Amino acid sequence: MSEPDNQQLDNPYGRRDVAPEALARALKKLRARLPKHCLLTEPRALKPFESDGLTAIREVPWLVALPETAEQVAEVLAVCREEGVPVVPRGAGTGLSGGARPLSDGVLLGLSRLNQILEIDLANSAARVQPGVRNLAISEAVAEHGLYYAPDPSSQIACSIGGNVAENAGGVHCLKYGLTVNNVLGLKVLTLAGDELMIGGPGGDPQSLDLLALFCGSEGLLGVVTEVWVRLLPTPPERRVLLAAFPTVEGAAESVAAIIGRGLIPAGLEMMDTPAIRAAEAFVQAGYPTDAGAILLCELDGVPAEVESDVAMVVRVFQEFGAGDVQIASSAEEQARLWLGRKAAFPAVGRLSPDYYCMDGTIPRSRVAEVLGQISALSEQYGLAVANVFHAGDGNLHPLILYDANEQFGADILAACVAAGGTVTGEHGVGIEKLDAMCGQFSQAELEQFFRLRSAFDPDGLMNPGKAIPTLTRCSEIGGMHVHEGRLPFPNLERF
Amino acid sequence: MSEEFVQAVASARAMGQRLSIVGAGSKSGLTGNESSAEGRLLSTVEHTGIVDYRPDELVVTVRSGTPLKELNQALVREGQMLGFEPPEYRGLGTVGGAVAAGIAGPGRPWRGGARDAVLGVRMINGQAERLNFGGQVMKNVAGFDVSRLQAGAYGMLGLLLEVSLKVLPLPQAEQTLALEVSAEDAHARMLEWALKPYPITATAWLDGVLHVRLSGAEAAVNATAMIIGGQVRPDNGFWQALRDHSLSFFRSGTIACRQLAPASPLLPEDELIEWNGARRWSRANSGTGGYRVFGAGYAQHRCRDGGGDPAIAEYQARIKAAFDPDNLFNPELTDADVAA
């Protein structure tokens, strides 16, 4: 069992650098076992893989492997195991936490060429797909049957289902329909030891320990997903989108609590504050009220009779809590317009600042107004503007910090989320980005439990090392466990 | 109280004793009777109470020994429910037992199972460490999902102290329809309806009758009832009896159960078919076709078989060791189910 913190470590990611001789042997073996076009080693070819969606953190990989079959994936893992070379799995590279940030002495294992929908099993309302299949492509492939795959992260046109599993991706509709873990029925995974595990399937979860739940959100530390069974749902026949403008964030937050407290779970419930509304409106002219303190976007779906009564209820709540204007979109075009500003919020904010930093803290809904107040105070303290866009229904905040290489502001926001009884990451993952924040959320015993669990699958710690779970050494360096005032976040990064 | 549990685990570990975690014993028929438990009993029944319940957060945090019935009553008072409808078992079952056993009721395919409801746990592992995973929020991807791993783990990984569960609003309206059809016909309809956007939240065929539960806005329930047809049942008691395994079917001797893909072909001994065909019960005791057979008088629950896949069993044993290196917890279960 590897106990990273008992070792003398050569690099900040909790492991030793790989010896050049081992890399040379690994290269020879990989060339012998994989077709030439599946291996990238030229600096120019490697460059595009230097980061995922968290572009502030980069490292050019030693080698990129792009297998076309599960057998080739197994070959790559075998070589890495034999030679002690770390492996960083990568889906579409849209992750926002640096989970697929490569290693200069490791293999970047890209799954993008495993992109086939293998089976659409209508009788069981399920589909079996390879990990590189795009999230949206699944829904497109089954649309003709009146079905869809529910989780819809905002990157769904590009992100892959394998990456969704690794990150337990959420999205706008997960309040009602759940996260990836609630919508995946089974997995085929390869472990570094070379075992192929068939976990679950369309019949549910057949094992006594729920490995399926464990793999969802494991950030590539336990194994490589080579097939995914997803659950398909009937497309709701009716859909309405409501937009309500509130004078204050508090009114909007109270509306959210009231809607849910009265027994309605909308398909989507999103909030934006004034800076986010203005940025979005300036960018895409969606018709958002720029004088509002906050807006709520609420999507309701179901059979027509149900949607009708739900709309009436939501409008009543909005008015009760001080909403001025309420727009109701019933046509697909109008709905798309109302969603446009929300969906364009990130790039819209990007226009205001050379860089922005998207946070992912999640808090109990009842603390939303309070935590937004704290964020606003921090914004003044650090002199950095912040725009708040978030999944209000499930308390998942996405503050966008317009930054100038200042990461302490973000760390303080995450500390505020943990202090409010929440978590440092709701759906984007820890990756490499939130390692230090993890030190504040988990005790030493909890982190050690995570490492022992990882060791059950990967005793040598070669699968995506240095991600998701901070080493105890790292946590002690930033001021110990459960200390929210660590002064040295990201000490090993050039810039953030 | 949790400090006493820590000390109990620490002393058992020091003395090389093994521990059998029990709640109220409502499921002892399936985990082996308590009299056959090999270890010292570690009971949660005194560890009771709702720690935190905020209805508009859709989250409740409960101590593991709390009677499930008590939790259900507290939720109903706020117009809410546990989506996975765990069996109350004559009012004896505990919340910790419901999560540890991971047994879901009639609504599983629509509202999720125990693992879908679990948001966080406080637990003690085999090293007598008190640990906290997950939390009280709907979305949380910080660290491995150790909380959900406890659902259905039967306490093999540790003692649950508290669980935080996602709850759902009670539907505005509910209606039960009964259609007299053959098993084949019932199965075909279940599969057909699964592809439609109907507000169905349970299906079950037993003794020549297909029961369908509709839940949601009243207008939607009524509109769908017109399409589905059949007789409207005066009350919804059937589902509670099915949930609690108190239908006379379950009291008629040895019961076996299997869980499989919903469209899998029917066998003659599929006497009770629910979950759109994904869970089937039999009194036939043939022991074939993926059925697991359980003791007389107890409706089994562990339909989820290890499946006999040695690779999976090996990793499960390693996970067990990662939490409980000295194999303290529930040895009778571990030996039977996890060890290869």
Side-chain angles (χ1 to χ4, degrees), chain A residues 122-125 147 167-168 171 174-175 179 181-182 191 193 195-199 202-214 217-219 221-222 231 234-237 257 260-261 263-265 303 305-306 309 362-366 391 394 396 421-430 438 441-442 445-446 448-450 452-454 456-457 469, chain B residues 54-58 78 80 108-110 115-116 125 127 129-134 136-146 148-149 151-153 156-157 166-170 172 191 193-199 215-217 219-220 223-224 259-264 278 302 304-307 309 311-312 315-323 337-338:
Chain A
L122 288 181
N124 288 308
S125 303
L147 301 172
E167 300 296 321
N168 191 13
C174 60
L175 177 62
L179 304 155
V181 67
N182 311 112
T191 66
D195 293 310
E196 186 176 75
L197 305 181
M198 304 283 300
I199 300 168
D205 22 31
Q207 287 87 28
S208 63
L209 286 179
D210 194 343
L211 299 186
L212 183 57
L214 182 60
S218 61
E219 301 200 22
L221 271 66
L222 304 182
R231 183 168 76 120
T235 310
I260 291 163
L264 178 60
I265 301 186
V303 294
E306 184 163 35
S309 70
T362 301
I363 54 171
R365 275 185 294 268
S366 58
H391 307 305
D394 41 34
N396 186 192
T423 179
V424 297
T425 176
E427 59 181 358
H428 295 170
V430 174
M438 288 284 284
Q441 188 168 336
F442 292 99
E446 287 153 1
E448 286 178 334
Q449 182 65 73
F450 285 146
R452 286 196 302 274
L453 191 48
R454 180 182 76 162
F457 289 84
I469 308 159
Chain B
R54 281 170 282 173
D56 63 14
E57 302 282 348
L58 301 177
E78 298 292 337
Q80 297 186 333
R108 168 81 171 84
W110 300 270
R115 47 99 76 181
D116 297 291
N125 67 7
Q127 294 176 203
E129 295 168 322
R130 211 175 331 187
L131 307 173
N132 185 12
F133 295 106
Q136 288 76 48
V137 292
M138 294 291 153
K139 291 159 101 177
N140 190 345
V141 292
F144 295 127
D145 200 341
V146 174
R148 285 197 170 87
L149 192 55
M156 286 187 290
L157 307 181
K166 179 181 178 179
V167 299
L168 297 179
L170 283 171
Q172 283 171 32
L191 296 174
W193 293 332
L195 301 173
K196 309 271 191 201
Y198 295 157
S215 315
T224 310
Q259 193 179 313
L260 64 178
S264 307
R302 295 206 80 192
R304 303 189 306 168
D305 199 328
D309 180 339
I312 297 268
Y315 281 91
Q316 291 184 332
R318 287 190 211 164
I319 293 170
K320 161 76 172 167
F323 282 85
D337 285 331
V338 169

Side-chain angles (χ1 to χ4, degrees), chain B residues 149-303:
Chain B
L149 192 55
Q150 306 309 317
Y154 276 87
M156 286 187 290
L157 307 181
L159 172 70
L160 297 178
L161 295 172
E162 284 176 27
V163 292
S164 293
L165 300 170
K166 179 181 178 179
V167 299
L168 297 179
L170 283 171
Q172 283 171 32
E174 199 153 270
Q175 200 170 103
T176 300
L177 302 170
L179 292 80
E180 288 189 24
V181 293
S182 67
E184 290 70 25
D185 196 2
H187 190 215
R189 288 182 199 221
M190 288 175 183
L191 296 174
E192 184 195 325
W193 293 332
L195 301 173
K196 309 271 191 201
Y198 295 157
I200 292 175
T201 57
T203 55
W205 181 87
L206 176 67
D207 295 332
V209 179
L210 169 58
H211 301 257
V212 183
R213 182 173 67 187
L214 302 173
S215 315
E218 190 154 10
V221 166
N222 290 337
T224 310
M226 297 290 286
I227 299 170
I228 294 206
Q231 282 189 317
V232 178
R233 282 287 155 104
D235 70 77
N236 301 311
F238 172 81
W239 302 110
Q240 192 173 329
L242 177 59
R243 178 195 76 180
D244 292 341
H245 302 168
S246 61
L247 291 169
S248 60
F249 170 82
F250 290 102
R251 283 188 251 115
S252 49
T254 304
I255 300 285
C257 168
R258 60 181 183 149
Q259 193 179 313
L260 64 178
S264 307
L266 294 181
L267 295 180
E269 65 256 43
D270 287 334
E271 291 179 79
L272 167 58
I273 305 164
E274 52 173 344
W275 296 5
N276 281 349
R279 185 161 74 176
R280 304 179 195 177
W281 305 81
S282 172
R283 286 173 292 202
N285 193 11
S286 71
T288 59
Y291 279 96
R292 272 186 78 164
V293 179
F294 296 87
Y298 286 97
Q300 169 339 121
H301 331 282
R302 295 206 80 192
C303 303

Side-chain angles (χ1 to χ4, degrees), chain A residues 357-361 372 375 386-390 397-401 413:
Chain A
Y357 179 29
C358 173
M359 313 290 297
D360 184 37
L372 288 185
I375 293 174
V386 61
N388 284 291
V389 173
F390 69 101
L397 307 171
H398 289 321
L400 303 171
I401 302 172
I413 290 179

Side-chain angles (χ1 to χ4, degrees), chain B residues 86-125:
Chain B
E88 281 184 5
Y89 290 127
R90 309 179 301 287
L92 293 176
T94 62
V95 174
V99 170
I103 305 166
R108 168 81 171 84
W110 300 270
R111 292 166 169 164
R115 47 99 76 181
D116 297 291
V118 173
L119 298 176
V121 297
R122 284 181 191 274
M123 63 182 288
I124 300 172
N125 67 7

